[in-house]
Amino acid sequence: VSRAVAFNSVLHREFENVTKMRLKLDGAPYLKFLPTPLDSFSCLLRGTKTSDRGGAASRTGLSATTVTVWAPEDGCVSAETLRTERCKVIFDPRDVAWMANRMLECLGAVHATGFVHGAVTPNHVLFRTEEHGLLLCGWTLAKPSGEAAPVMLSRFRSFYPQEVTTNKRVYAGSDIYMFGKVIEYLLEGATVPKRLRLFLRGVTVEAVEARPNDAWALRDELRDILESLYGKPTFRPFVRPNKGE
C-alpha cells in the first residue's frame, strides 16, 4: 500500500513491469524467479502524505492510494539476512555456487524480455534455501536497457556500477556487475579459489563496455569453473545457522 501520493506511480510501475515480464516468459520455467502479481487498484486512504509546490510534506484527509496485491512467498530469505545471520560464520563457496547459478539464470531470463532490473542488491535477492531456489524482487526501477536510472538505494551504493552512479543509465551489464557484488558480499572472509575470484573480478570491472552482458554465457562459464573445482554438481543441503549463533 502506498503511504504517499508520490509513490502511487512507483507501485503501479512495479506491478506493470512484472506483469509484462511474466507474459513474455509465459510457460518458461523461470517464472518462479519473479513475484506473482494478483491485483492492482486504487482506494481512498485517510492521512496519505502529499507535498506542496515547495516540497513540504503534509497529510490530507482522503486521497487516492495505489494498492498492489502479490501472491505470498514462503521460505524466502534475503542475501542481506543470510549475511547478517552468518556474521560469525563464513560461507563455503560450494554453498554460494547454487546461489550464483540461480541469479544468472534469473538475469538471463529477465534480460531476454528486454528488461533490466537496475537494483540487484542484497535486500532484493531472496533465496529459497531448502530447494536452492531464488526470487528476485524490487522491480520498481526495471527498465529497458540503456534507459535512465534516476534512483539508487543509498545504503547499497557500493553495489552499483559507475554507469549508474555517474551517468544514471542501466544496462544488462549493470545487473551483472551487481550480481558479482552480491556474490562477493556473501563470500566475504571465505577462501575463494583463484578461478572463481577471477570470474568475479571479470564481472565487476568498472567500464561497462569491458564487462560481460550475457548472463546465460556467464552461467555456462561458471558451471564449467565449478565442475573443474568441485566435480559434477550434486545437491548440497544448505543449513542456516541458528539465530544468535
Side-chain angles (χ1 to χ4, degrees), residues 70-225:
W70 304 80
E73 300 286 353
D74 298 324
C76 293
V77 58
S78 70
E80 182 180 22
T81 297
L82 283 179
R83 190 72 198 105
T84 302
E85 287 180 351
R86 292 205 166 206
C87 60
K88 296 180 181 179
V89 182
I90 296 173
F91 276 97
D92 189 311
R94 291 173 294 176
D95 289 326
V96 178
W98 67 263
M99 300 178 187
N101 275 323
R102 297 300 172 272
M103 288 183 70
L104 288 173
E105 289 166 0
C106 176
L107 293 178
V110 167
H111 294 166
T113 70
F115 280 91
V116 292
H117 185 280
V120 185
T121 49
N123 60 320
H124 289 157
V125 179
L126 310 183
F127 295 111
R128 296 182 172 100
T129 55
E130 291 188 5
E131 62 195 66
H132 288 192
L134 175 131
L135 181 72
L136 187 58
C137 63
W139 292 96
T140 57
L141 300 179
K143 296 176 177 293
S145 182
E147 287 199 4
V151 180
M152 289 185 297
L153 298 176
S154 57
R155 67 191 178 102
F156 291 118
R157 184 181 177 86
S158 63
F159 286 79
Y160 291 85
Q162 65 179 7
E163 67 269 15
V164 177
T165 59
T166 304
N167 300 321
K168 309 301 183 186
R169 297 282 169 181
V170 63
Y171 304 89
S174 310
D175 282 351
I176 286 170
Y177 178 98
M178 289 185 271
F179 146 77
K181 287 295 184 180
V182 170
I183 298 302
E184 288 180 341
Y185 169 79
L186 290 171
L187 287 172
E188 184 178 351
T191 300
V192 181
K194 182 178 179 180
R195 287 195 65 188
L196 191 51
R197 289 201 314 272
L198 291 175
F199 174 83
L200 292 172
R201 188 181 302 169
V203 300
T204 54
V205 295
E206 286 297 334
V208 65
E209 61 272 11
R211 194 185 312 137
N213 61 11
D214 185 337
W216 286 119
L218 286 171
R219 192 281 306 265
D220 292 341
E221 180 183 347
L222 177 61
R223 283 186 169 182
D224 289 342
I225 291 171

Side-chain angles (χ1 to χ4, degrees), residues 1-66:
V1 179
S2 174
R3 301 298 297 180
V5 172
F7 293 145
N8 283 348
S9 61
V10 174
L11 289 187
H12 178 74
R13 183 167 62 246
E14 179 176 41
F15 191 92
E16 194 173 62
N17 286 341
V18 175
T19 299
K20 287 179 179 178
M21 284 185 288
R22 291 186 67 89
L23 286 173
K24 291 184 177 182
L25 290 171
D26 186 32
Y30 312 110
L31 283 173
K32 60 188 176 184
F33 295 145
L34 301 179
T36 304
L38 299 179
D39 198 5
S40 177
F41 56 91
S42 293
C43 66
L44 293 177
L45 188 67
R46 186 177 300 278
T48 303
K49 287 184 180 179
T50 59
S51 298
D52 61 23
R53 291 184 180 180
S58 62
R59 290 189 181 273
T60 65
L62 292 174
S63 298
T65 299
T66 296

